[in-house]
Amino acid sequence: HKPLEGVLHALRALSLMDKTVVFLSNAPRRSRPLEDQLARMGVERNLYTRVYSSGEDAMGALTEEHRGKVCYPLIATIHE
């Protein structure tokens, strides 16, 4: 719900050094909702270059590698 102590200070210092900051997340969501979440936590948009998530990667794979192909969702049921 809020950055760990010192994170904002570190991000600001990296920004002053003109460093590239990329947040990498395994969240299944696209990057935009994660950017919104960072904003709600007080992480200013100018403190990072990009947010990249597994959800964004999945969407990219579906739209780029599978363009024009039919994709079927697979639903697995485990019976014990």
Side-chain angles (χ1 to χ4, degrees), residues 30-59:
R30 304 267 322 255
S31 296
R32 181 61 192 196
L34 297 174
E35 291 175 359
D36 294 341
Q37 183 178 0
L38 286 169
R40 287 190 301 274
M41 293 172 59
V43 179
E44 300 144 13
R45 183 59 185 89
N46 63 322
L47 296 179
Y48 60 92
T49 304
R50 184 168 182 197
V51 174
Y52 199 79
S53 68
S54 60
E56 196 69 41
D57 190 49
M59 181 58 103

Side-chain angles (χ1 to χ4, degrees), residues 2-79:
K2 65 179 182 174
L4 294 172
E5 185 177 331
V7 168
L8 292 178
H9 175 75
L11 289 172
R12 288 184 187 113
L14 289 168
S15 178
L16 290 173
M17 292 185 283
D18 202 29
K19 298 294 182 179
T20 299
V21 174
V22 176
F23 286 104
L24 180 62
S25 172
N26 66 350
R29 297 179 299 284
R30 304 267 322 255
S31 296
R32 181 61 192 196
L34 297 174
E35 291 175 359
D36 294 341
Q37 183 178 0
L38 286 169
R40 287 190 301 274
M41 293 172 59
V43 179
E44 300 144 13
R45 183 59 185 89
N46 63 322
L47 296 179
Y48 60 92
T49 304
R50 184 168 182 197
V51 174
Y52 199 79
S53 68
S54 60
E56 196 69 41
D57 190 49
M59 181 58 103
L62 289 173
T63 58
E64 294 167 18
E65 296 173 24
H66 297 89
R67 182 164 290 162
K69 297 179 183 177
V70 177
C71 297
Y72 299 96
L74 298 177
I75 301 172
T77 305
I78 299 173
H79 297 281

